[in-house]
């Protein structure tokens, strides 16, 4: 985030946190980078293994699925699953299938979002988008297959009761009232199929944006956290903490994403930037300005961290991630 002062959560080692005060340990940029590397080291072989399919899966389809799923992503959703399970006292192995499943849903949504009928993008995760590397029909089928495989992976990877509950959580987060519904409304606004929000009062525009983002982006983050909790047999109180974290984290992520779209660097981001402003689309920076967007994102990061403070040290990674998410450059 060019021009954005480092979050207090990313101060240099040994410095004092403006948010948490001098007595609290301060997560450093290098510590969250190491933690995310650890998640990638755990999850990536499992993502690859999940795509070792029988000869009945068409080779071109599997190649497209590998292109989409194994491309270098941040793996934020698997990190949320694993760190939520850790916060609730669980181990990563029991939550691995849920982490793989959520990343599959995310990868499918990116493949479909990039299609010519939607965002029509050429670059994703620093590589040609799936329909560019293959073809449009294969990209559609790739998304369909990743979505179905996500549910199969989850159903196989958890004990029966948790699997049933987990499939419900993931289906709701991916469905018409969440991911797909948010995407559909976003598209409807962009294509002029619903009344133009650009003429509405700023407070109404912010409400509209929050409703889009809660469904399009936030719901899958929240599902990742809930699945991590389920894998650890979390108590209702612990699930409520994770849900509060998810709500604040999801919006903080999205505001940061809007800021990066306005100010970020294409090479660092690995995707096209400036596209929202270029289309006259409503974003947090266009509605409330860059400074107010940064302030809101930082206060949401603090809110997210506070939501999991009751877990103590077991939620250190979730705490650090909330601060990093609003100070990242990709
Ligand atoms: C097509 C059903 C359907 C939904 C699409 C995911 C999505 C909904 C749209 C993508 C457009 C977009 C840029 C949304 C902003 C939030 C987002 C999902 C960004 C990408 O997530 P990251 O930053 O990506 O976690 P990586 O590549 O690191 O995994």
């Amino acid at each position: 985030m060019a021009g954005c002062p480092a979050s207090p959560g990313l101060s240099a080692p040994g410095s004092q946190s403006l948010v948490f005060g001098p007595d609290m340990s301060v997560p450093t940029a290098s510590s969250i980078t190491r933690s995310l590397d650890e998640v990638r080291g755990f999850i990536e072989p499992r993502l690859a293994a999940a795509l070792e399919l029988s000869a009945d899966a068409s080779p071109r389809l599997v190649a497209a699925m590998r292109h989409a799923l194994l491309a270098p992503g941040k793996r934020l959703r698997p990190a949320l699953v694993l760190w939520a399970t850790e916060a609730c006292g669980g181990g990563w192995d029991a939550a691995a299938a849920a982490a793989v499943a959520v990343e599959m849903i995310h990868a499918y949504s990116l493949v479909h979002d990039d299609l010519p009928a939607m965002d029509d993008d050429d670059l994703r995760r620093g590589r040609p988008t799936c329909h560019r590397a293959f073809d449009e029909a294969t990209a559609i089928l790739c998304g369909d297959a990743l979505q179905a495989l996500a549910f199969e992976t989850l159903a196989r990877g958890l004990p029966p009761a948790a699997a049933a509950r987990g499939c419900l959580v993931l289906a709701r987060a991916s469905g018409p009232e969440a991911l797909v519904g948010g995407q559909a409304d976003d598209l409807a606004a962009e294509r002029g199929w619903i009344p133009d929000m650009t003429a509405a009062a700023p407070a109404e525009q912010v409400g509209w944006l929050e409703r889009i983002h809660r469904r399009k982006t936030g719901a899958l983050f929240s599902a990742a956290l809930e699945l991590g909790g389920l894998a650890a047999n979390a108590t209702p109180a612990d699930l409520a903490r994770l849900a509060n974290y998810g709500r604040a984290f999801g919006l903080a992520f999205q505001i940061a994403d809007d800021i990066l779209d306005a100010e970020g660097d294409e090479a660092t981001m690995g995707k096209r930037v400036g596209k929202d402003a270029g289309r006259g689309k409503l974003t947090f920076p266009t509605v409330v300005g860059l400074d107010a967007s940064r302030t809101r994102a930082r206060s949401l990061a603090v809110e997210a961290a506070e939501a999991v403070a009751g877990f103590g040290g077991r939620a250190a990674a979730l705490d650090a991630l909330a601060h990093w998410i609003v100070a990242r450059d990709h």
Side-chain angles (χ1 to χ4, degrees):
M1 213 178 295
C4 177
S7 150
L10 296 179
S11 338
S15 67
Q16 292 185 356
S17 165
L18 296 176
V19 175
F20 299 109
D23 299 332
M24 298 287 288
S25 69
V26 180
T28 64
S30 65
S31 84
I32 188 69
T33 303
R34 269 198 310 277
S35 303
L36 280 168
D37 282 347
E38 205 185 328
V39 167
R40 281 190 283 269
F42 178 84
I43 206 66
E44 283 175 358
R46 287 167 172 80
L47 293 174
L51 294 183
E52 279 165 22
L53 299 167
S54 80
D56 282 347
S58 154
R60 185 173 173 84
L61 175 67
V62 176
M65 292 164 82
R66 290 180 59 83
H67 178 87
L69 188 66
L70 307 183
K74 292 184 286 298
R75 311 301 183 204
L76 293 177
R77 293 149 194 85
L80 289 173
V81 174
L82 299 174
W83 292 341
T85 226
E86 198 171 279
C88 298
W92 283 15
D93 283 335
V100 167
V102 176
E103 187 66 12
M104 284 177 176
I105 294 287
H106 173 56
Y108 124 69
S109 77
L110 296 179
V111 169
H112 280 194
D113 184 65
D114 290 333
L115 286 168
M118 300 223 192
D119 246 13
D120 194 12
D121 265 313
D122 295 336
L123 190 67
R124 171 67 67 184
R125 293 175 161 175
R127 297 182 178 178
T129 47
C130 192
H131 65 277
R132 287 276 171 211
F134 294 84
D135 60 90
E136 200 175 333
T138 301
I140 292 170
L141 293 172
C142 167
D144 294 341
L146 283 171
Q147 180 170 204
L149 192 58
F151 288 99
E152 183 181 337
T153 303
L154 192 55
R156 282 184 197 280
L158 289 176
R165 174 85 201 156
C167 284
L168 174 66
V169 166
L170 194 60
R172 286 192 63 109
S174 319
E177 294 174 321
L179 176 69
V180 176
Q183 174 78 353
D185 272 352
D186 204 17
L187 209 61
E190 203 182 302
R191 310 265 162 108
W193 298 331
I194 51 175
D196 183 10
M197 282 302 295
T198 54
E204 223 182 305
Q205 292 179 335
V206 168
W208 158 262
L209 277 174
E210 289 188 9
R211 192 163 162 266
I212 292 282
H213 296 322
R214 174 170 48 77
R215 291 173 292 158
K216 185 175 148 178
T217 325
L220 197 57
F221 285 134
S222 294
L225 290 154
E226 189 172 349
L227 289 170
L230 282 179
N233 286 317
T235 61
D238 284 352
L239 289 172
R241 284 176 177 155
L242 294 172
N244 289 336
Y245 176 94
R247 267 190 292 277
F249 176 89
L251 192 53
F253 169 93
Q254 190 56 57
I255 295 176
D257 211 65
D258 281 358
I259 296 171
L260 284 168
D261 186 71
E263 296 204 313
D265 169 59
E266 182 162 305
T268 316
M269 298 280 289
K271 63 180 183 183
R272 186 155 52 100
V273 295
K275 60 184 180 187
D276 292 342
R279 289 173 185 168
K281 202 170 164 177
L282 284 187
T283 68
F284 278 90
T286 60
V287 175
V288 301
L290 276 164
D291 285 346
S293 299
R294 286 192 188 104
T295 304
R296 179 90 198 276
R298 285 199 209 109
S299 98
L300 284 162
V302 173
E303 199 183 304
E306 282 171 359
V308 290
F311 287 119
R314 288 194 321 229
L318 289 178
D319 178 309
L321 186 69
H323 294 291
W324 178 80
I325 209 70
V326 297
R328 68 203 158 104
D329 63 1
H330 65 293

